[in-house]
Amino acid sequence: MIGFVVRRLLQLVPVLLLASTGIWAMIYAVPGGPIAAIAGDNASPEQIAAATAQFGLDRPVLVQYADWLWNALRGDFGISIRGRAPVLELIGQRLPATLQLAVAATIVSLVIGIPVAIASALRPGSWIDRLLSGWSALALGVPTFWLGILLILLFAVELRWLPSASGYVPFWENPLGALRNLALPALTLGVYVSGILARFLRASLVNELQADYVRTARSKGLPERQIVGVHVLRNALLPFVTIVGLMMANFIGGAVVTEAVFTYPGIGRLLIQAITTRDYPLIQGCIVVILVLYIAINLAVDVLYAYIDPRIDYR
Amino acid sequence: MSRLLRKTGSILARLLSRKGSALALLFLSAVTFAAIFANFLPLDPFGQKLVNALKGPSATNWFGTDELGRDILARVVYGARTSLLTAAGAVAIAALAGVPIGLVAGFFGGWRDAALMRLVDVLLALPAILFAMAMIAVLGRSQAAALIAVGITGIPSFARITRAQVLTLRKRDFVTAVEAFGGSATYNMFRTILPNSWSPIFVQVVVLCSVAILLEAALSFLGVGVPPPTPSWGEMLRTGKSYLHEAPYYAVLPGLVLTLTILSFDVLGRALSDILQGRRDVDVVAKAGEASS
């Protein structure tokens, strides 16, 4: 098991290295480079020279890259140009909000997705199956930002039950306030992902229901509830773990749009601000942190999967 | 040529015989028609009339007017042009780069396969929307940048699908026969294997159209897509969101057209996958990785 984890970690090194080199190179390939952003558009040649020297941009490219990589490895992504604070500190402030939303959205998607999948898998081809599969197509096709706007219109503008802009309230400090703020963004993200989860779980349930052990269980007179609830669901949920993990990993960085709809203070919004203000160190930092989290979650899923499914050989 | 026409005709007939895909085809034809011939329609997407600002739907302005008094329906129609053009360009980039990558990787195997597919993995390592945003941060905000960024995020899906197809065909007798007759690798890849791989690639083109339209709209919604005053659906939703209290139709109606377009491409993709490959489900997971959340 430990060997498996170590090997998977080692496989990540080239991907991370290549990706971070790409991120670094992309930004330094900009015409005018980051200096134009740092010094401002109307900077005099002296100011540009000063900024170049201050940020060490007059050194050979390879030295700059090695320096950046070495600092990044130690968690130092430099100082935000606009925010005048260490990049990692800015990201650290936003991380709990993003994680809280990711967890809430995952719960919503499971609460919707699992019952939908079970209901439609038990009677494939029936009207309820067709209705529910239409629903998951809808959940997948409706853009999250439009769904978010519709939810704001209904719950914030018309009914006035929930705030239209969601702030970050830590759940353990004020559970009710946190739920009020999380409800709409978590629903928006959760509905979208429930469409994917339901489709996937339905397919694997239908598959399992045709297995020999189900026929055996039925012929020995086990109640259907027990067959589905205990035996089938357990087997069908195995591949499902991978998808849930993938979705969670996607929430970390991919919730940019939902965060923008609800002006939710997560990493996604920080990244948009960084891009619109051309804050290059912050852009690099955000992307690297998101990438590392994304890969870490995927790795955790792989390991968990190997652990819960004894058929997988992880030597 | 006549064979191709006949085949296209039979696929079209089968699409039209299903209620869902017939409706989708009808809607997409209408949107495409409006986008192409927008200049000939009595619509003006730029004319500002401030006294008319934020007026609800009426006989003269079917979708109402925006904060500058511009006709929202006209902007939706011209926005269709932006969306469809970006999607078409992006899908073309993705296919032109992705298909050859998949062909070479699958055909030769070995180090070429490993190197190319690792590169594709790196592209997949980041959610598409983030990758596109990072590209735009570098290229600057323009329609071309949005098109290129969305296109690059589509490369992995084409590379993977083509590679999988090549792997199933690689050991087939007709491929071996061409090799035995001394056909070059290039000839074999492009003249023997590729013509037999069109079905999954074509399905992917349709599926990716919906992803590209969604991604372009998401970028515009975030304020990094096609720059104003070019009408774009995402940009309209972005501005409309500021007027939810005064003018709810402003964000709702363009969003409805955007959603119907995306859903239509989805329905069409699934129907085509069923007709051409006998599979009902398009690779949901592959799609999920690309769509923006």
Side-chain angles (χ1 to χ4, degrees):
Chain A
M1 189 75 193
I2 293 170
F4 172 76
V5 176
V6 170
R7 227 174 17 259
R8 287 278 301 152
L9 277 173
L10 285 179
Q11 280 170 5
L12 289 179
V13 174
V15 173
L16 264 177
L17 209 61
L18 213 60
S20 59
T21 310
I23 292 163
W24 180 84
M26 260 168 84
I27 284 159
Y28 281 79
V30 187
I35 278 303
I38 297 168
D41 287 329
N42 305 319
S44 66
E46 292 78 36
Q47 282 171 314
I48 290 180
T52 310
Q54 188 197 340
F55 285 87
L57 294 169
D58 47 358
R59 297 170 300 162
V61 174
L62 273 180
V63 174
Q64 283 186 49
Y65 172 64
D67 201 39
W68 179 79
L69 193 65
W70 173 239
N71 285 331
L73 278 178
R74 294 179 305 164
D76 177 7
F77 292 101
I79 308 282
S80 154
I81 298 173
R82 311 279 151 172
R84 303 281 173 204
V87 166
L88 210 61
E89 196 182 298
L90 289 175
I91 297 174
Q93 288 165 0
R94 301 294 188 99
L95 202 56
T98 290
L99 291 177
Q100 185 164 303
L101 178 58
V103 171
T106 306
I107 294 172
V108 170
S109 66
L110 291 175
V111 166
I112 303 175
I114 293 181
V116 165
I118 295 177
S120 47
L122 285 181
R123 285 174 193 79
S126 66
W127 65 269
I128 188 143
D129 183 26
R130 268 176 294 157
L131 186 80
L132 292 176
S133 83
W135 184 83
S136 34
L138 208 62
L140 277 173
V142 176
T144 45
F145 42 98
W146 192 54
L147 178 63
I149 287 175
L150 293 184
L151 288 176
I152 292 178
L153 267 176
L154 179 63
F155 289 105
V157 177
E158 281 302 317
L159 299 172
R160 292 167 194 269
W161 289 352
L162 295 163
S164 62
S166 305
Y168 168 57
V169 180
F171 185 74
W172 47 89
E173 280 175 19
N174 179 0
L176 209 67
L179 286 180
R180 266 177 64 80
N181 279 286
L182 276 173
L184 292 184
L187 195 63
T188 306
L189 267 180
V191 162
Y192 169 76
V193 173
S194 76
I196 302 170
L197 296 187
R199 257 192 212 185
F200 201 82
L201 185 60
R202 181 194 171 277
S204 90
L205 276 173
V206 168
N207 229 348
E208 284 298 325
L209 278 168
Q210 286 159 355
D212 286 339
Y213 71 86
V214 174
R215 196 178 326 145
T216 314
R218 279 194 183 134
S219 58
K220 75 174 188 182
L222 271 188
E224 197 68 19
R225 176 184 292 268
Q226 197 179 344
I227 299 176
V228 176
V230 178
H231 301 288
V232 173
L233 204 55
R234 194 182 266 185
N235 281 311
L237 280 176
L238 273 178
F240 192 63
V241 171
T242 316
I243 307 296
V244 175
L246 215 81
M247 292 302 111
M248 264 199 97
N250 248 319
F251 285 157
I252 303 289
V256 198
V257 180
T258 308
E259 288 185 3
V261 176
F262 296 98
T263 53
Y264 188 79
I267 292 191
R269 279 202 55 226
L270 187 66
L271 179 61
I272 301 173
Q273 286 162 8
I275 287 180
T276 44
T277 56
R278 292 197 291 172
D279 193 337
Y280 290 108
L282 194 55
I283 299 176
Q284 287 175 327
C286 282
I287 293 183
V288 170
V289 167
I290 290 170
L291 191 65
V292 168
L293 283 173
Y294 187 77
I295 288 177
I297 293 181
N298 273 320
L299 174 74
V301 168
D302 272 7
V303 173
L304 184 69
Y305 192 49
Y307 183 71
I308 56 177
D309 190 348
R311 284 169 303 187
I312 290 187
D313 187 5
Y314 48 76
R315 260 172 307 161
Chain B
M1 199 60 202
S2 71
R3 220 184 108 233
L4 187 73
L5 272 178
R6 227 176 315 131
K7 202 170 172 208
T8 319
S10 99
I11 293 173
L12 205 62
R14 290 178 69 181
L15 282 178
L16 288 173
S17 69
R18 299 157 181 241
K19 230 185 293 169
S21 49
L23 274 176
L25 214 54
L26 194 71
F27 181 78
L28 289 179
S29 310
V31 171
T32 316
F33 181 85
I36 294 175
F37 297 104
N39 296 24
F40 301 101
L41 300 171
L43 294 167
D44 176 12
F46 299 111
Q48 303 184 5
K49 235 188 253 162
L50 285 174
V51 279
N52 258 346
L54 297 175
K55 288 266 158 53
S58 65
T60 37
N61 303 104
W62 292 359
F63 278 23
T65 57
D66 69 4
E67 79 282 11
L68 299 173
R70 298 175 296 193
D71 182 33
I72 291 183
L73 178 62
R75 294 187 65 78
V76 168
V77 168
Y78 277 81
R81 188 177 272 191
T82 314
S83 278
L84 294 181
L85 216 62
T86 313
V91 172
I93 290 178
L96 285 177
V99 170
I101 290 178
L103 273 177
V104 171
F107 190 85
F108 291 107
W111 65 268
R112 275 169 277 209
D113 186 22
L116 286 173
M117 292 328 274
R118 278 299 86 72
L119 266 178
V120 167
D121 280 350
V122 172
L123 274 183
L124 279 178
L126 211 60
I129 181 102
L130 290 186
F131 187 87
M133 283 169 69
M135 289 282 303
I136 288 169
V138 174
L139 297 173
R141 191 180 169 191
S142 68
Q143 179 156 18
L147 192 150
I148 293 170
V150 175
I152 291 180
T153 61
I155 293 176
S157 60
F158 276 107
R160 289 187 155 196
I161 281 171
T162 312
R163 177 175 174 273
Q165 191 66 16
V166 175
L167 287 181
T168 62
L169 294 175
R170 181 77 182 85
K171 293 291 168 218
R172 294 277 287 276
D173 288 343
F174 64 92
V175 178
T176 320
V178 173
E179 260 178 344
F181 279 118
S184 69
T186 320
Y187 181 88
N188 222 339
M189 278 190 287
F190 286 95
R191 302 301 297 273
T192 317
I193 294 180
L194 192 57
N196 284 293
S197 311
W198 283 129
S199 298
I201 293 175
F202 186 59
V203 171
Q204 190 58 25
V205 164
V206 175
V207 172
L208 209 65
C209 275
S210 89
V211 178
I213 288 178
L214 177 62
L215 204 53
E216 187 274 323
L219 289 172
S220 299
F221 179 78
L222 294 174
V224 295
V226 179
T230 309
S232 121
W233 293 342
E235 176 73 32
M236 296 177 80
L237 285 175
R238 172 187 170 80
T239 329
K241 207 196 130 222
S242 322
Y243 300 101
L244 283 182
H245 286 273
E246 306 92 308
Y249 57 87
Y250 187 174
V252 170
L253 295 177
L256 185 67
V257 176
L258 167 68
T259 305
L260 287 178
T261 307
I262 292 170
L263 282 175
S264 298
F265 273 114
D266 272 351
V267 169
L268 219 53
R270 262 201 304 275
L272 275 174
S273 151
D274 189 12
I275 292 170
L276 295 171
Q277 300 166 273
R279 277 176 55 193
R280 256 199 75 209
D281 249 1
V282 195
D283 198 341
V284 237
V285 183
K287 212 200 134 193
E290 280 156 23
S292 59
S293 42

